[in-house]
Amino acid sequence: MGSLYVGLLHFPMRNRQGEIVATSTTSMDIHDIARSARTYGVARYFVVTPLPSQREIAWRVRGFWTKGEGANENSRHGEALEYVVVAQDLDETLAWVREAEGQDPFLVATSAKATGRPGISYDALKARLRTDPRPAYILFGTGWGMTDELIEACDAVLPPIMPDADFNHLSVRAAAAIVLDRVAGMDRQT
Amino acid sequence: MGSLYVGLLHFPMRNRQGEIVATSTTSMDIHDIARSARTYGVARYFVVTPLPSQREIAWRVRGFWTKGEGANENSRHGEALEYVVVAQDLDETLAWVREAEGQDPFLVATSAKATGRPGISYDALKARLRTDPRPAYILFGTGWGMTDELIEACDAVLPPIMPDADFNHLSVRAAAAIVLDRVAGMDRQT
């Protein structure tokens, strides 16, 4: 069984006008996805931004709950945030995984829109995680989504969550929860 | 096929100490769950709180995006928030559904902990939605969860999302997204 990693990328993203930008980190994204990642047994959740001030904020959110005031509250937020690693770019996180696992992860992009890239179905990724010892690393974008170049640098891309819906604008917090449930959730009985 | 309704309840909830309280509405809960509800074709998303000031805030969040400044932005948030109805208690929302549907909904509780109540599996609820014309209405709690009395007033309760996980503290935004994907998502191909 391969380890599962998750990354939330803030650069290089598209903005509403299609320009390439660095989006802002939000504490809600850090928290919610950390809690989902911890629930589904994710090895590490990388929060990735090139902006030093934003990395500082992300570390502070993590520290508040793991070492600061929040750690004393009767809450288990800290247990989820311990799995958060803040990094400046995708390469730094890939080096992290390589160091921990001794091999490169199978890198998976997500997109709210269909892409022309080699796809992997949710069930195929789930089966792969169970049978292949190689780690997998799923990337989530922010803003108006990852650049094409970033998606092309991945080994595969997951299909949109609800390709036939007339509205497909899930928050990244909701999208990450659903993707984790599909690829790392338990098999259900009817 | 029955319509699906979703409700986010802020009273009567448990707090950390087990006391019965009214929790605070947050704009992130309104937004995220509205976007998930719209993606999965939910008929209405009820935001329920007995506190007039909190209902005022909830209506204002909705109005900003459907009629105010946000409506002019090149974004589809308004389309999701149009499906939000703010109500003061569960009874008011049940009357709303009865008025719209001509019958009472099949009322479904959710809980992060196992309960002794009659359960319905995710797949059974999904099948029911497809074959039974009676609407279903899924309730989500806030704070430390719904009171037992509230869960007992429902027709059935869904099992915890990840009953065997050693950490089961998803945000309600993530939980609602996962539940909707399980009961209203498309069947997937491997």
Side-chain angles (χ1 to χ4, degrees), chain A:
Chain A
M1 206 171 123
S3 300
L4 178 60
Y5 292 81
V6 163
L8 182 69
L9 270 54
H10 297 83
F11 180 85
M13 293 300 131
R14 296 284 177 187
N15 69 4
R16 205 173 287 177
Q17 286 78 37
E19 297 153 347
I20 296 175
V21 295
T23 59
S24 294
T25 338
T26 75
S27 76
M28 196 65 84
D29 286 350
I30 301 173
H31 272 276
D32 269 29
I33 299 176
R35 292 163 70 181
S36 297
R38 181 75 181 82
T39 300
Y40 287 96
V42 166
R44 282 297 181 278
Y45 163 37
F46 297 109
V47 175
V48 187
T49 170
L51 307 176
S53 58
Q54 298 273 308
R55 286 202 301 279
E56 171 69 26
I57 290 169
W59 280 121
R60 212 178 299 154
V61 168
R62 183 188 191 280
F64 176 86
W65 290 98
T66 56
K67 292 182 295 228
E69 285 176 55
N72 302 320
E73 286 195 35
N74 179 20
S75 133
R76 296 181 62 186
H77 276 208
E79 283 180 51
L81 288 166
E82 277 173 14
Y83 290 77
V84 171
V85 174
V86 185
Q88 72 171 10
D89 55 26
L90 179 59
D91 281 348
E92 185 185 340
T93 66
L94 288 171
W96 203 104
V97 175
R98 208 176 296 126
E99 171 80 22
E101 304 276 345
Q103 59 184 325
D104 284 314
F106 180 70
L107 193 59
V108 183
T110 55
S111 173
K113 286 173 294 194
T115 65
R117 299 290 306 158
I120 183 166
S121 73
Y122 293 94
D123 290 338
L125 182 56
K126 183 175 189 168
R128 186 190 168 102
L129 276 167
R130 289 188 177 182
T131 56
D132 194 325
R134 187 175 166 198
Y137 178 13
I138 306 177
L139 302 182
F140 294 94
T142 47
W144 267 248
M146 296 182 204
T147 61
D148 294 342
E149 294 71 20
L150 183 54
I151 293 175
E152 278 164 30
C154 294
D155 297 305
V157 57
L158 284 166
I161 286 175
M162 284 286 279
D164 297 334
D166 67 331
F167 181 94
N168 199 353
H169 303 271
L170 292 166
S171 71
V172 71
R173 299 169 290 280
I178 293 164
V179 168
L180 285 174
D181 189 56
R182 289 186 182 181
V183 306
M186 290 164 307
D187 295 321
R188 296 193 302 280
Q189 291 90 42
T190 305

Side-chain angles (χ1 to χ4, degrees), chain B residues 4-23:
Chain B
L4 178 59
Y5 291 81
V6 162
L8 183 69
L9 271 54
H10 297 82
F11 179 86
M13 294 298 130
R14 295 286 177 186
N15 68 4
R16 206 172 287 178
Q17 286 78 37
E19 297 154 347
I20 297 174
V21 295
T23 59

Side-chain angles (χ1 to χ4, degrees), chain B residues 23-96:
Chain B
T23 59
S24 294
T25 335
T26 75
S27 76
M28 196 65 83
D29 287 349
I30 301 173
H31 272 275
D32 270 27
I33 299 176
R35 292 164 70 182
S36 297
R38 180 77 181 79
T39 300
Y40 287 95
V42 165
R44 282 296 181 278
Y45 163 36
F46 298 109
V47 175
V48 188
T49 170
L51 306 176
S53 59
Q54 298 272 309
R55 287 201 301 280
E56 171 69 25
I57 291 168
W59 279 122
R60 214 178 298 154
V61 168
R62 184 188 189 281
F64 176 87
W65 291 98
T66 55
K67 290 180 299 224
E69 284 176 54
N72 301 321
E73 287 195 36
N74 178 20
S75 135
R76 297 181 64 186
H77 276 207
E79 283 179 50
L81 288 166
E82 276 174 13
Y83 289 76
V84 171
V85 174
V86 186
Q88 71 172 9
D89 57 25
L90 180 60
D91 281 350
E92 185 184 338
T93 66
L94 289 169
W96 203 105

